[in-house]
Amino acid sequence: MPSSPAFLARHLRQRIQREGPLTVAAFMEDAAGHPRFGYYATRDPLGAGGDFTTAPEISQMFGELIGLWCAVVWDAIGKPDPVQWVELGPGRGTLMADALRATAKVPGFIDAVRLHMIERSPVLRARQKETLARAGRDAQWHDDVSDVPAGPAIVVANEFFDALPIRQFERTQAGWCERLVDVAEASEQEEHAFRFVLSPPPEKLHPIPERLRDAPAGAVVEVCPQALRILHTIATRLAGEGGAAVIVDYGHPESAIGDTLQAVKGHAFADVLASPGELDLTAHVDFGALRDVAAGAGARAHGPVSQGAFLEWLGISARTETLLARASPSQARGIRSAKARLVEPDGMGALFKVFGVSGPALAALPGFAP
Ligand code: SAH
């Protein structure tokens, strides 16, 4: 029986033969999210033995500080009980477990929160359930953030938006065209089965951000329709029912031109069209576009600020000192290097950004003030 990657490559080839070349988003959607053979459906990709690692997997301090941020927001919105505590794409559940531990002593908070995990991968759902069970908690799982019950909400997302499928448009002499994925004619081999082609100038184009429309020939612009939809759902809800969201990811603070689609396998970059379903496909998040959506939905947008500045503001240096006071020499080395990786500009401190959204009643959010 062929392995799952062969199934996915064959499925994509057949789809292209049937439907014609696919948008980059359709290709990514199947590669990442195919319910049986997709990347996330078939594995836990995180950690040293996987393909990539993330801030909560690097240090417990990340989830702890995000947890305390959530408790401060809860206090600022009048300690609603219940409050929906929502995490998008929780991976192994590590961030939430660390956040629960850090907020256990905040009076009333833990009893007020209802946990909602937005996760489509059955493998990661099971992993999250185990992690939360060890922390003595249960949650409700949903496929989509629009399924979370009504009420004030505090929303967390780390490295979720970068995994959502993007469409790519290229400026040509004939106008804006869409980049599509076609089968490569010459080769039947899985690794070289696909290639990029350009659509003819389409009759109806997904809107390109206003400030980029006059980009020079050759420029690539990326649009992430799902990110815009999901953020619109969150912002509309926060505007109407109160609460806040904290979104951490790599990306650019303003909409910009550039091809940022990337594939990672075993902690190294790989060819984006090779072995669909076996690679982590991501793109930089366009925080400028998210800010416009938040404002359009009647919510307040905050930032983005750099992850380094945000974590320093929340007190990562003091937390590091507390952990060091109880650490063995080898633990101390690990704590120091993890902290540096999270905050230093040559680690995740500058590339990663933190973006906040709040209901109109919350004028400021912790970590975003200058
Ligand atoms: N936040 C975690 C994991 C990041 S990996 C961490 O920081 O470690 C991306 C996560 O988003 C995974 O849990 C993946 O299964 C989930 N995911 C990706 N696309 C999704 C979608 N469309 N809907 C719901 N979850 C999705």
Side-chain angles (χ1 to χ4, degrees), residues 190-203:
E190 254 99 59
E191 309 89 89
H192 306 290
F194 303 98
R195 64 182 173 122
F196 285 113
V197 295
L198 273 184
S199 76
E203 279 163 28

Side-chain angles (χ1 to χ4, degrees), residues 50-212:
D51 290 328
F52 61 96
T53 195
T54 56
E57 300 299 328
I58 290 168
S59 169
Q60 67 184 72
M61 292 189 283
F62 187 81
E64 290 171 350
L65 293 170
I66 297 280
L68 292 169
W69 184 95
C70 293
V72 172
V73 164
W74 177 69
D75 192 68
I77 58 173
K79 304 186 180 186
D81 181 358
V83 61
Q84 316 297 357
W85 201 4
V86 183
E87 186 177 358
L88 304 170
R92 291 178 166 175
T94 309
L95 186 159
M96 192 49 90
D98 292 335
L100 285 164
R101 192 180 60 255
T103 53
K105 295 209 176 87
V106 177
F109 180 67
I110 289 295
D111 292 333
V113 294
R114 305 288 178 273
L115 293 186
H116 298 276
M117 311 291 254
I118 313 305
E119 176 61 71
R120 290 190 182 167
S121 156
V123 177
L124 289 172
R125 276 190 180 197
R127 187 83 201 236
Q128 291 154 18
K129 204 170 173 62
E130 274 168 39
T131 308
L132 290 183
R134 278 200 300 279
R137 284 296 294 222
D138 202 358
Q140 277 178 275
W141 275 264
H142 312 275
D143 282 341
D144 194 90
V145 70
S146 56
D147 301 329
V148 175
I154 301 172
V155 181
V156 176
N158 186 59
E159 288 208 44
F160 169 77
F161 282 87
D162 66 71
L164 300 175
I166 53 153
R167 292 175 68 177
Q168 290 188 319
F169 300 96
E170 192 177 316
R171 184 82 194 259
T172 70
Q173 301 299 348
W176 286 99
C177 299
E178 183 155 13
R179 239 174 149 195
L180 303 172
V181 180
D182 200 357
V183 288
E185 279 143 33
S187 175
E188 278 296 293
Q189 286 174 309
E190 254 99 59
E191 309 89 89
H192 306 290
F194 303 98
R195 64 182 173 122
F196 285 113
V197 295
L198 273 184
S199 76
E203 279 163 28
K204 191 171 165 292
L205 191 65
H206 195 282
I208 306 245
E210 180 94 34
R211 60 197 290 263
L212 303 180

Side-chain angles (χ1 to χ4, degrees), residues 3 44 63 69 83 128 170 238 241 264 275 305 330 364:
S3 64
D44 168 3
W69 184 95
V83 61
Q128 291 154 18
E170 192 177 316
L238 296 176
E241 304 187 71
V264 165
S275 321
V305 296
S330 87

